[in-house]
Structures are given as structure tokens and as C-alpha cells.
Amino acid sequence: MFNRVQAFWSQSHKRDGFALGLAVGTFGITFGVLANAAGISDLMAVVLSLFVFTGASQFAAVGVVNAGGEPLTALGTALLLGARNGVYGLSVGRILPVGKFKRLLGAQLVIDESVAVSSLQLDDRDAREAFWVTGLSVFIFWNLGTVVGVLLGDVVGDPRTWGLDAAFPAGFFALLMPHLRSQEKRQSALWGALIALAAIPILPSGLPVIASVGGVFIAAFASSLRRRRS
Amino acid sequence: MDWSLVMLLAVGCYGYKAGGVLASKKIKLSEERERLLNYVAPAVLSGLIITQTFENEGQLYVGAPAAGLVAGALAAYLKAPFPLVLAIAAAATALVRLL
């Protein structure tokens, strides 16, 4: 047992994946607490983490419900945010095993973390191992964290007293931060924010956040102009 | 939230992943398309930040959640871990509400 642990730990791609999963567990706890604060049942929160299993989309759906938004808005924003997993699937599908069952099982683990660690590897075998170790580790700790979070939320009491109902936007900012390093994504974020801001007094509630996706096209247009000029 | 929404979320989000994996042998996205898709998350995340902070019943407003956002964003900018960012945002909001 000890030898196997040591062997596992000596391979950096497995070690990194495992450690990342452990860190994501704390996200899971906050997801459980906030889902509870949004008035979502414990069972629903746990089912979301098991079957939706993509953090930003889950936070978005729960955040919209928390803000009193329509179910369609919750679904729309979550699906807009989940679309990138489709792109990940296209790239990581190449290294997944051939069997259909394993591919479909592995598909659920296609998320930011597993794809990031996997794409850092130099050969396909390491990439595949990194994908499974990271994906499974994130899956296990994200779900354990959710359970701990909803139980913790039950103890906390009225979320408004603690301001927990207002913690979502800061959480979205933390999720947005890594995107701000690239100039194009920064512009997309900026235009998305401006569109949402302008849309609030004009469009019916629930649509401004969907409209923010228009920022994508302005950012793309601006970047193509820049490239043409240089 | 009701169970039909939970189900649609699960089907939709898994659908992307499985669709991508299964199509990976046949489809290769053009660089342009892939770049566009990469821009979606930042745009929608900032849309969420704006609407959940500054919208109240279809109107623009600035209130306690704005204080929470500023405090939390600052913490995130200073590389505070995620749970701490949320705790700081929540505490700032609660504090402003008390005042």
C-alpha cells in the first residue's frame, strides 16, 4: 500500500490532479452553503453536483434562483457557461479510451480542471492518466464538499443575517479572474458587463444576463479589426 | 428551483460534454469558432455579476450587494482563496445592512 502511494505521489501529473481535486472540494463546500442560502433543497444541491458537475454553471443556476430569477434564465445562463465543456470534449476526446461506455463515463469528467492538467502533459499516456486522476479527484471532492456544505448551511440559519445571499457576484468575479489575463477575453467581459448594465432598465428581468453574451461578438469584431491593422 | 429544472440542467450540461467527446473524431472546430466559444464564459460571468449586483425588480440600483462585490472582488484580486472571497463579500454586505 505504502509503495503504491509513494509511486502515485512521485508522478507529478497524478499528484497535481489529486491536489487540485482537494482544493476544488472547498468550492464544493461553498456551493452547498450557497445553494442552501438560495433556498434549494439539500437533495437537489447534491443531485446538481453529481449530474450537472460543472461549477460555474451550477453557481450560475443557483445564483439566478437566489436572485428571484425565472427558471428559464437559470437554465439559459447555465447552458451558456457550460458550452465550453463541449469545446473541451472535442479536444480531450482524442486521448480518451476507445470503448463507448468508458468514453461516455469519461465525458462527465470533462471540466476546466481535468482538461487543464491533461493538456499540460507531453505524451498521450500521461495526458490520459492526468485526465482521469484529476477528473475523478475533482468529482469525489466536489461532491463530498457539496454534502458538507448543505449540512453546514442547515446550521448557519437565516442566510440574510450573514449576507450570504449577496456572496454570488463576488464568487462570479473570482471565477472570472483567470479569464482576465487574455486581452480578448477581458474585452468580452467588459462588453458583456456594459450590455447587461444597459439592458437592465430596458429588457424584462432575466434577459439582461442572456444579452451579455453579445459581448462575445463585439470583442471578436474588435480583435479582427486589430489583426487587420497590424 | 424544481426537479424539471434540475433535470434539464443535468441533461444540457452533460450533453455538451458527451457531444464534444463523441464528435471529437469527426469534427474539428475552426480556430475562429473556437475563439468565439472561449469568449462566452467571461461575457456571461460579467453579465451575472452586473445583474445580480445592480438589478432590483427591473431597475438599476446600488445597495448593500455592491459593497459586498467591491470587498469580494478586492479579496479575489489579492489572490484570496475562493471561500474567503465569499466570506468577505458576505460579511461586507451584512455590515452595510446593519448600518
Side-chain angles (χ1 to χ4, degrees):
Chain A
M1 180 67 195
F2 179 74
N3 279 340
R4 286 173 71 178
V5 170
Q6 208 176 26
F8 180 91
W9 210 243
S10 66
Q11 292 171 285
S12 72
H13 62 291
K14 295 184 182 174
R15 192 177 56 217
D16 291 351
F18 181 81
L20 198 56
L22 211 54
V24 170
T26 62
F27 279 73
I29 296 177
T30 59
F31 174 73
V33 170
L34 291 188
N36 199 297
I40 287 161
S41 78
D42 291 359
L43 184 62
M44 271 184 195
V46 170
V47 169
L48 281 174
S49 281
L50 278 170
F51 292 100
V52 178
F53 187 56
T54 173
S57 296
Q58 288 179 234
F59 272 110
V62 168
V64 170
V65 168
N66 174 69
E70 297 290 322
L72 264 180
T73 310
L75 184 66
T77 35
L79 290 183
L80 280 172
L81 285 172
R84 70 187 187 294
N85 290 332
V87 185
Y88 293 160
L90 284 175
S91 73
V92 94
R94 196 178 49 81
I95 56 144
L96 281 183
V98 222
K100 197 151 198 174
F101 180 70
K102 273 194 180 165
R103 286 178 82 80
L104 286 174
L105 209 63
Q108 179 68 330
L109 304 179
V110 174
I111 45 162
D112 292 319
E113 292 82 2
S114 56
V115 175
V117 180
S118 161
S119 67
L120 288 176
Q121 309 310 317
L122 297 176
D123 69 69
D124 281 1
R125 210 190 112 213
D126 282 0
R128 182 161 43 241
E129 285 177 356
F131 172 82
W132 285 105
V133 170
T134 312
L136 284 172
S137 150
V138 169
F139 187 81
I140 289 165
F141 290 113
W142 173 254
N143 281 289
L144 280 179
T146 303
V147 172
V148 172
V150 294
L151 295 178
L152 212 62
D154 289 338
V155 183
V156 165
D158 181 11
R160 269 189 69 89
T161 331
W162 305 99
L164 276 175
D165 57 309
F168 284 95
F172 294 129
F173 184 82
L175 293 175
L176 175 64
M177 280 264 294
H179 293 292
L180 298 180
R181 281 197 289 265
S182 123
Q183 192 196 8
E184 275 94 4
K185 289 183 174 184
R186 210 160 47 225
Q187 291 212 334
S188 185
L190 184 69
W191 285 109
L194 288 175
I195 291 174
L197 206 56
I200 287 173
I202 305 168
L203 294 181
S205 191
L207 287 184
V209 63
I210 305 284
S212 66
V213 77
V216 169
F217 300 101
I218 304 182
F221 182 65
S223 119
S224 73
L225 278 186
R226 263 197 314 277
R227 259 176 296 148
R228 207 167 301 162
R229 220 178 297 143
S230 60
Chain B
M1 186 170 287
D2 58 24
W3 283 106
S4 58
L5 176 57
V6 173
M7 217 179 69
L8 287 172
L9 285 167
V11 170
C13 288
Y14 178 71
Y16 282 127
K17 301 172 180 175
V21 166
L22 294 181
S24 62
K25 283 185 180 147
K26 296 166 212 147
I27 300 179
K28 179 117 178 48
L29 278 187
S30 70
E31 224 172 277
E32 189 63 32
R33 288 257 172 87
E34 191 169 333
R35 203 170 30 235
L36 275 184
L37 278 164
N38 278 327
Y39 294 170
V40 173
V44 175
L45 283 172
S46 59
L48 276 167
I49 295 170
I50 295 295
T51 52
Q52 299 204 353
T53 311
F54 301 112
E55 183 186 1
N56 193 17
E57 292 172 4
Q59 296 298 318
L60 280 169
Y61 102 119
V62 179
L69 174 63
V70 171
L74 194 67
Y77 183 73
L78 296 173
K79 303 214 161 67
F82 191 70
L84 188 62
V85 170
L86 295 182
I88 287 171
T93 312
L95 206 67
V96 171
R97 279 181 184 152
L98 272 179
L99 295 178

